[in-house]
Amino acid sequence: MAEKYQALYRKWRPLVFEDVVGQDHVSDTLKNSITSGRIAHAYLFCGTRGTGKTSSAKIFSRAVNCENAKDGNPCNECETCRGIMDGSILDVYEMDAASNSGIDNIREIRDEVIYSPTGSKYKVYIVDEAHMLTTEAFNALLKTLEEPPEHVIFILATTEPHKIPATILSRCQRFDFRRIGVVDIEKRLNKIIAAENIKITPDAVELVAELADGSMRDGLSILDQCAAYAKDELRYDDIVDIVGIADKRIIFPIADFIADFNSGEALKATDEFLKQGKEATDFLEELISHFRALMICKATESPEGILEKSAEITEKYKEQAQKFSVDRLLGAISQLSDFLLQAKKLSAPEIAVEMAVVKLCAKANASDASELANRLAAVEKELEAIKAGGVTVKRTPTSRAAAKIETTDEPKPAAPHIDDAKLWTRWREALTLVKDRSKSLYTFLFNAKALFFGDEVELVIASEMAYNKINTPEGRQYLEELFSSVQGTQLRVTVSGKEGPKNREAEDGGASILDIAAKKDLLGEKMTVVED
């Protein structure tokens, strides 16, 4: 009888900490805690899907009980390790909170922890998707987490740490698992490809690593699916056809046509893509992602860490970004986001795609942004000259295109408070949450500065377009909910420009903030705080 096939992500699940890709900061800390004997009673593993949270928890559960642990790693050969791996030793208990979220499940664990382990040193309870536990279940777990028996270790794993009550967070050692870089995923894939004798071209491996989107498990699942398709060698085109994505080799030329205002050729290339049976919404999302990459290349000198793309692709983005202004790229992302919403509502979504391409190619559409950029540059230059001369400006409108400037000897008002304000320490964490939920919103916020004033976060926005999109009553309320979940306390949000505070109540005309992140609630249910 033929041996039953096992999926690659299960077959190649990490067995020691060195196998966990891209999480050295977590692996090294856990190994050191084991070798030094400084083992905590509760851990919280946070991170996006497929980054190694559950695998690290299983490795740790064996390592603390291993009879021949070496450098903090389990040997995976002793009787205890093999018993835990095959399930014959029941001292390691794994629970999926997504399907066992009630108080009865936690009460069962609470009643069991008082008994000593039968075949190992520690009882280890791994609770996956811990944020799915109910408020009552968290309350039942609280006392056990605070004063557990010495032989018990809890490991909570979650993709949404902002939904974990603060009273639970304060009783756990928290480890944040990072999104895995394309290069690290590609290295691991090549190792598995060689071991499995899979024939695949290098550019196809690179594409799989990019499609993994920071998740090693997703990368292995895509590779597994595609390997079953190819009879001979797996090629780049095969990956595109199987996964059903927009081919970057089409997206780059379309972006070139848009840069040159060539609507005819842009529409022709777009039509060829849609005739291949690809989804219109996928095309718009890929185009948004493409213009985001161009914007990042335009806005920073070192985009590699943000883009998480290969060196070759990053260079292509850099080269193409020179054809656009930052304002035109920001406008393109905003317009594409609007058309994406329309495409999801239309019975013929390809119409929204064609409208988007035509509008992006319109010179009038781009000239408005260019004119605004030129006017802003002139104003900034004028202000710099005035600042150097120590004078103030009075403007008297004389026409729609000109203004009369008078100078006085009065001193310029004090500089804004940006330089000496306290920066918000949780800003990077808030940005990560935004990026996971809405990349379009992230593009408007990643260059902002967040200042902290006790119960208030002030966002300093450099781009006027981004400022106008974000600074609405609905937008501020939306960000208040998001930032409060990250901080753990209620926060107010205000928005100002890079030259200092603007009229915070001036923008009250519309919802915007990319239509409140494409009409989706980034936070899901509001975080419930369990009282201590």
Side-chain angles (χ1 to χ4, degrees):
M1 185 176 178
E3 184 179 351
K4 187 176 180 180
Y5 181 76
Q6 190 175 26
L8 289 179
Y9 79 87
R10 294 183 59 196
K11 183 177 181 179
W12 289 91
R13 183 183 288 275
L15 295 177
V16 293
F17 285 115
E18 283 73 15
D19 292 339
V20 182
V21 179
Q23 311 299 340
D24 292 345
H25 63 295
V26 174
S27 298
D28 291 344
T29 304
L30 293 177
K31 287 194 296 181
N32 291 337
S33 68
I34 293 170
T35 55
S36 64
R38 299 172 65 89
I39 299 174
H41 65 274
Y43 296 87
L44 179 66
F45 291 173
C46 311
T48 54
R49 69 189 187 284
T51 51
K53 301 183 297 298
T54 305
S55 294
S56 295
K58 291 181 176 181
I59 295 170
F60 186 79
S61 69
R62 296 196 301 274
V64 295
N65 289 310
C66 182
E67 301 168 14
N68 305 307
K70 183 178 180 181
D71 298 328
N73 275 311
C75 69
N76 296 321
E77 296 177 355
C78 67
E79 185 177 350
T80 302
C81 284
R82 285 187 282 107
I84 293 173
M85 293 174 72
D86 63 25
S88 59
I89 293 179
L90 303 179
D91 294 327
V92 175
Y93 177 78
E94 185 177 356
M95 184 187 87
D96 178 18
S99 54
N100 301 278
S101 59
I103 188 172
D104 292 337
N105 304 104
I106 298 301
R107 281 174 176 167
E108 184 180 343
I109 293 176
R110 187 183 62 186
D111 294 340
E112 289 179 355
V113 296
I114 61 175
Y115 300 108
S116 300
T118 56
S120 53
K121 184 178 179 181
Y122 289 98
K123 273 189 171 183
V124 182
Y125 291 89
I126 302 172
V127 183
D128 206 3
E129 301 299 335
H131 63 276
M132 299 291 286
L133 292 175
T134 64
T135 301
E136 293 77 11
F138 274 126
N139 280 325
L141 182 63
L142 190 60
K143 192 64 177 178
T144 305
L145 277 181
E146 185 174 23
E147 297 177 359
E150 293 184 358
H151 59 265
V152 172
I153 299 173
F154 282 94
I155 303 177
L156 310 181
T158 178
T159 56
E160 302 186 52
H162 57 279
K163 291 186 179 179
I164 304 294
T167 48
I168 299 293
L169 291 172
S170 64
R171 287 163 173 81
C172 300
Q173 284 192 10
R174 174 170 173 167
F175 291 86
D176 289 292
F177 286 68
R178 301 166 182 163
R179 285 166 50 86
I180 308 173
V182 172
V183 175
D184 289 333
I185 292 178
E186 193 173 351
K187 287 180 181 178
R188 179 69 172 171
L189 287 176
N190 280 323
K191 179 179 179 180
I192 294 171
I193 286 167
E196 294 289 329
N197 196 27
I198 298 173
K199 295 181 179 180
I200 182 172
T201 60
D203 58 343
V205 178
E206 183 180 308
L207 179 58
V208 171
E210 289 184 13
L211 293 174
D213 194 27
S215 168
M216 192 68 240
R217 183 174 64 238
D218 286 5
L220 287 173
S221 296
I222 294 170
L223 177 65
D224 211 356
Q225 177 187 359
C226 296
Y229 168 85
K231 295 180 180 179
D232 299 315
E233 189 176 46
L234 190 61
R235 300 180 181 279
Y236 185 99
D237 292 335
D238 297 328
I239 307 292
V240 171
D241 290 337
I242 296 167
V243 182
I245 60 169
D247 190 343
K248 283 185 173 58
R249 293 173 299 184
I250 295 177
I251 298 296
F252 271 101
I254 290 176
D256 279 334
F257 294 140
I258 291 173
D260 297 335
F261 308 105
N262 191 338
S263 59
E265 291 299 324
L267 278 174
K268 187 183 299 183
T270 301
D271 183 61
E272 290 176 3
F273 170 83
L274 294 175
K275 284 181 177 178
Q276 295 174 9
K278 303 297 192 297
E279 292 291 334
T281 53
D282 290 342
F283 175 81
L284 288 172
E285 288 176 350
E286 187 64 36
L287 208 53
I288 290 172
S289 177
H290 188 89
F291 279 105
R292 166 190 172 263
L294 297 181
M295 179 201 64
I296 290 173
C297 289
K298 197 76 174 176
T300 178
E301 295 181 357
S302 303
E304 292 80 7
I306 301 175
L307 291 180
E308 296 181 345
K309 304 289 185 183
S310 67
E312 182 181 353
I313 293 295
T314 301
E315 284 302 316
K316 291 185 68 175
Y317 280 129
K318 287 181 178 179
E319 181 179 346
Q320 193 173 69
Q322 301 306 313
K323 299 180 180 181
F324 294 88
S325 68
V326 173
D327 288 290
R328 190 179 177 195
L329 291 171
L330 286 171
I333 293 170
S334 177
Q335 291 163 12
L336 286 168
S337 300
D338 293 337
F339 281 113
L340 178 59
L341 286 175
Q342 293 184 31
K344 292 178 179 179
K345 298 175 183 178
L346 293 172
S347 58
E350 62 273 9
I351 295 175
V353 173
E354 293 162 353
M355 290 171 60
V357 171
V358 170
K359 187 166 185 178
L360 292 177
C361 290
K363 288 187 177 181
N365 185 45
S367 62
D368 291 341
S370 300
E371 182 182 349
L372 177 61
N374 293 334
R375 289 169 60 192
L376 288 174
V379 171
E380 289 178 358
K381 185 176 180 180
E382 183 180 289
L383 288 174
E384 288 295 326
I386 293 169
K387 183 178 179 181
V391 295
T392 59
V393 176
K394 293 182 181 179
R395 292 186 177 271
T396 305
T398 57
S399 70
R400 297 181 63 182
K404 182 179 179 182
I405 301 178
E406 298 177 3
T407 61
T408 71
D409 294 331
E410 297 176 7
K412 186 176 174 62
H417 58 270
I418 296 175
D419 292 335
D420 58 357
K422 180 180 179 182
L423 295 177
W424 187 29
T425 57
R426 307 298 291 272
W427 176 230
R428 286 298 156 196
E429 185 178 342
L431 273 182
T432 300
L433 177 60
V434 171
K435 185 178 181 182
D436 288 342
R437 302 309 190 275
S438 173
K439 290 184 179 179
S440 297
L441 177 55
Y442 173 75
T443 60
F444 281 89
L445 290 177
F446 86 102
N447 258 345
K449 183 179 291 187
L451 312 179
F452 189 65
F453 302 95
D455 63 345
E456 176 184 316
V457 169
E458 180 176 338
L459 291 179
V460 182
I461 307 291
S463 167
E464 185 163 345
M465 179 180 293
Y467 173 86
N468 291 334
K469 287 283 185 182
I470 292 168
N471 191 30
T472 66
E474 295 91 342
R476 292 192 296 271
Q477 180 182 355
Y478 180 77
L479 292 176
E480 283 174 0
E481 294 178 5
L482 189 149
F483 292 170
S484 296
S485 70
V486 173
Q487 184 72 10
T489 59
Q490 185 61 42
L491 295 175
R492 292 189 302 111
V493 172
T494 57
V495 185
S496 65
K498 65 180 180 180
E499 298 297 338
K502 296 187 179 182
N503 183 356
R504 295 174 179 170
E505 303 300 329
E507 303 294 338
D508 56 3
S512 195
I513 202 173
L514 302 187
D515 287 335
I516 308 303
K519 305 295 184 184
K520 294 181 181 178
D521 184 2
L522 296 183
L523 298 178
E525 298 177 358
K526 292 184 178 179
M527 182 181 70
T528 304
V529 180
V530 181
E531 296 297 333
D532 191 349

